[in-house]
Amino acid sequence: MQRAALLVRRGCCPRPPGLWGRSQSSAAAEASAVLKVRPERSRRERILTLESMNPQVKAVEYAVRGPIVLKAGEIELELQRGIKKPFTEVIRANIGDAHAMGQQPITFLRQVMALCTYPNLLDSPSFPEDAKKRARRILQACGGNSLGSYSASQGVNCIREDVAAYVTRRDGGVPADPDNIYLTTGASDGITTILKILVSGGGKSRTGVLIPIPQYPLYSAVISELNAVQVNYYLDEENCWALNVNELRRAVREAKDHCDPKVLCIINPGNPTGQVQSRKCIEDVIHFAWEEKLFLLADEVYQDNVYSPDCRFHSFKKVLSEMGPEYSSNVELASFHSTSKGYMGECGYRGGYMEVINLHPEIKGQLVKLLSVRLCPPVSGQAAMDIVVNPPVPGEESFEQFSREKESVLGDLAKKAKLTEDLFNQVPGIQCNPLQGAMYAFPRIFIPSKAVEAAQAHDMAPDMFYCMKLLEETGICVVPGSGFGQREGTYHFRMTILPPVEKLKTVLQKVKDFHIKFLEKYA
């Protein structure tokens, strides 16, 4: 092949025939003859195919960025190309991305991040001294006084100390040990890491992981990736998505026939359901975990997002500490928090932490080893997490502006939560529980039998069919309830309440108009 190609190249460059002793045409003829004798081989099969890839990865599904979001991206490109639609923009109400929805960053957080990123600004009079103080403290703890250096695998020491101090304040003086704090790449990284270290065994001894249904799809995705066993427990929709311990008992009892239930995941406040658990409920769950010897995972990333005046956030760590030493010294608990939600909405920094208590000393070493494989979480994200847990305090220069911005964001979210609940419940065929917390509505929708048949004809879940039609006709992108799990025969979708109030009203009106037409079409 190489010789043939060489001959062809030579034949393409006219030169006096005497140079090689033959003409250009004879050289081309010889090349052609060589090619006939040695035909080009067909391309070999790929090593990595759908059949040969890791089957656990293939089993992973993540509805929040699934097929409907890909379709939304296609529609956006069509709009950019001038293709006419019955709408002028796609509204991505599928994900809790606060800044993408128009929420403004908290000034103090961005000031400290700017100072950490470009320390020359520390000499600028444009920045308040309390922001400079925090930036200097963070930078002094970084190698070379730079966010661009690696940190310890567990995270920057002074930031872990600040997280421990925050947890202690939050929990009314219940002490937190910085050595139990692990900084993470968002809460998702921490959840994934803990599950990795928990999953073991095979067959009936394979680790079972209890997750709420509806759930945040991270959990089912990681369980699939790790080839663990997903054990569903259903939240009570008729009782504002409450968690019932008798349902936990049912789930564990049935799971013991085919796996070893070892982990219990709780999301409080709930995603996608928005419920806020009462202290009594948390006590019951902790007692159940102690009784069944379950490792508790408390996903508390929405702890600042509580809107109902009848509800308040109780951390699992605080309740556990107040139940007495029999529980507080024995129940293994990992709690998670993040910069992405709350009033901050700093999703892109990927900042987070987990506090892990009552861990076996030898397992602690194994956890640090596992974390060291990824070197460290982004140091910029660690710095953002530090500002969340170490905000301005009364008497500091930035306190009033910080408090004003924080209260404005949370106040707006509370109004939007009530607005969404009220407007959805005015629509025939839509039923929405109170949005006690978090930043989503998860309304139940009635889908007529003819629409169910149409969905089956398109090889879609009925609520996926509904949400796809909603996207195609209104430009509104929401996530079908089937992506989060739901009781058989019920249908839902998840929609964020993050858009500005006027845009949210427009979205809700469009959903109402669409739903009424949908019911008429498939009646």
Side-chain angles (χ1 to χ4, degrees):
M1 288 286 287
Q2 290 176 342
R3 181 178 174 224
L6 178 62
L7 288 169
V8 170
R9 286 199 299 273
R10 286 175 175 171
C12 291
C13 301
R15 298 207 181 172
L19 188 63
W20 295 304
R22 63 183 183 278
S23 68
Q24 177 180 344
S25 61
S26 65
E30 183 178 340
S32 178
V34 171
L35 287 170
K36 288 178 181 177
V37 173
R38 299 171 63 184
E40 185 178 350
R41 293 179 183 175
S42 60
R43 178 178 291 179
R44 74 176 189 182
E45 291 184 3
R46 299 292 191 203
I47 294 167
L48 184 60
T49 66
L50 283 174
E51 288 71 33
S52 66
M53 72 174 287
N54 184 334
Q56 271 63 62
V57 174
K58 191 159 61 172
V60 168
E61 293 183 1
Y62 188 64
V64 173
R65 296 199 174 190
I68 200 155
V69 182
L70 297 177
K71 182 66 175 178
E74 292 174 10
I75 292 174
E76 283 177 327
L77 289 175
E78 289 172 354
L79 287 169
Q80 289 170 17
R81 292 199 300 266
I83 298 174
K84 296 298 181 185
K85 302 282 183 185
F87 47 88
T88 57
E89 66 171 331
V90 171
I91 299 174
R92 290 178 174 262
N94 60 294
I95 195 165
D97 192 351
H99 294 180
M101 288 282 105
Q103 180 178 310
Q104 293 303 299
I106 298 296
T107 302
F108 184 78
L109 190 149
R110 287 299 180 90
Q111 286 174 329
V112 179
M113 291 305 300
L115 292 163
C116 287
T117 304
Y118 189 58
N120 288 1
L121 293 173
L122 287 164
D123 297 325
S124 169
S126 300
F127 290 81
E129 283 304 316
D130 48 0
K132 291 179 179 180
K133 176 183 174 184
R134 283 163 176 78
R136 288 191 185 99
R137 182 168 184 268
I138 292 168
L139 289 171
Q140 286 167 6
C142 296
N145 293 326
S146 172
L147 287 190
S149 60
Y150 288 128
S151 76
S153 298
Q154 201 169 336
V156 175
N157 285 338
C158 75
I159 298 177
R160 289 166 48 220
E161 290 169 359
D162 287 347
V163 171
Y166 161 79
V167 171
T168 301
R169 289 194 309 273
R170 182 199 67 188
D171 292 344
V174 176
D177 184 349
D179 201 37
N180 292 334
I181 304 296
Y182 303 80
L183 300 178
T184 58
T185 308
S188 300
D189 172 51
I191 292 164
T192 301
T193 299
I194 290 294
L195 285 173
K196 275 183 184 177
I197 211 165
L198 278 162
V199 172
S200 64
K204 288 189 175 183
S205 64
R206 191 64 175 164
T207 297
V209 182
L210 281 88
I211 63 171
I213 299 296
Q215 52 112 15
Y216 178 51
L218 165 73
Y219 291 94
S220 55
V222 175
I223 289 167
S224 292
E225 184 182 350
L226 298 177
N227 198 25
V229 180
Q230 178 174 319
V231 179
N232 297 337
Y233 66 88
Y234 290 87
L235 301 176
D236 184 359
E237 184 172 11
E238 306 307 318
N239 191 23
C240 205
W241 298 111
L243 194 166
N244 189 314
V245 171
N246 288 330
E247 171 62 11
L248 290 177
R249 288 199 176 90
R250 177 208 61 79
V252 167
R253 183 177 63 251
E254 294 179 6
K256 285 179 178 177
D257 291 337
H258 59 274
C259 70
D260 177 20
K262 197 159 67 176
V263 187
L264 172 56
C265 301
I266 309 290
I267 309 174
N268 179 47
N271 176 11
T273 46
Q275 86 285 4
V276 178
Q277 292 181 5
S278 68
R279 182 190 170 89
K280 175 65 167 60
C281 176
I282 293 172
E283 287 178 354
D284 291 345
V285 169
I286 291 171
H287 176 75
F288 178 78
W290 174 82
E291 196 175 56
E292 293 289 340
K293 297 182 179 177
L294 298 172
F295 194 112
L296 267 175
L297 269 59
D299 182 340
E300 298 175 337
V301 301
Y302 296 100
Q303 58 190 260
D304 288 308
N305 301 104
V306 177
Y307 314 125
S308 173
D310 301 326
C311 298
R312 59 171 295 198
F313 171 76
H314 302 276
S315 78
F316 267 75
K317 161 83 178 298
K318 182 174 192 283
V319 175
L320 175 62
S321 71
E322 293 172 349
M323 289 178 68
E326 189 172 15
Y327 295 95
S328 61
S329 301
N330 291 297
V331 174
E332 294 151 278
L333 169 68
S335 307
F336 307 91
H337 196 19
S338 165
T339 62
S340 301
K341 309 304 176 185
Y343 58 89
M344 310 79 66
E346 294 283 3
C347 306
Y349 276 119
R350 307 308 299 130
Y353 74 79
M354 59 182 177
E355 181 185 20
V356 190
I357 61 173
N358 293 327
L359 204 59
H360 191 288
E362 292 177 358
I363 293 299
K364 195 166 188 173
Q366 293 295 317
L367 175 57
V368 172
K369 178 186 74 175
L370 182 59
L371 291 170
S372 70
V373 173
R374 53 95 159 113
L375 296 176
C376 68
V379 180
S380 56
Q382 297 185 49
M385 192 75 248
D386 185 74
I387 305 157
V388 172
V389 299
N390 185 24
V393 297
E396 287 189 309
E397 183 179 352
S398 301
F399 177 72
E400 287 188 14
Q401 182 181 5
F402 169 80
S403 298
R404 198 164 54 245
E405 291 177 354
K406 175 181 176 180
E407 289 166 11
S408 174
V409 170
L410 294 176
D412 281 350
L413 284 169
K415 290 174 188 172
K416 290 187 283 190
K418 190 72 174 76
L419 172 71
T420 303
E421 174 197 341
D422 289 346
L423 290 184
F424 270 148
N425 283 326
Q426 293 173 16
V427 183
I430 296 183
Q431 178 185 337
C432 185
N433 271 322
L435 281 62
Q436 296 175 339
M439 49 184 62
Y440 313 98
F442 195 67
R444 183 169 175 174
I445 52 175
F446 171 69
I447 298 183
S449 57
K450 285 186 179 179
V452 173
E453 291 168 7
Q456 291 168 347
H458 287 82
D459 197 25
M460 287 184 184
D463 49 7
M464 172 63 85
F465 179 76
Y466 178 97
C467 292
M468 197 65 79
K469 291 293 184 186
L470 175 66
L471 173 63
E472 292 169 349
E473 295 180 24
T474 69
I476 297 169
C477 181
V478 297
V479 190
S482 49
F484 301 88
Q486 55 198 354
R487 283 197 180 274
E488 188 73 27
T490 67
Y491 307 109
H492 305 78
F493 63 79
R494 190 190 79 164
M495 186 191 87
T496 183
I497 61 170
L498 286 171
V501 172
E502 290 309 312
K503 179 170 275 192
L504 181 61
K505 287 179 180 178
T506 300
V507 168
L508 293 169
Q509 185 61 49
K510 284 187 173 183
V511 172
K512 175 182 178 179
D513 294 343
F514 167 82
H515 187 77
I516 291 170
K517 290 177 184 175
F518 186 87
L519 293 183
E520 291 172 352
K521 181 176 179 180
Y522 293 102

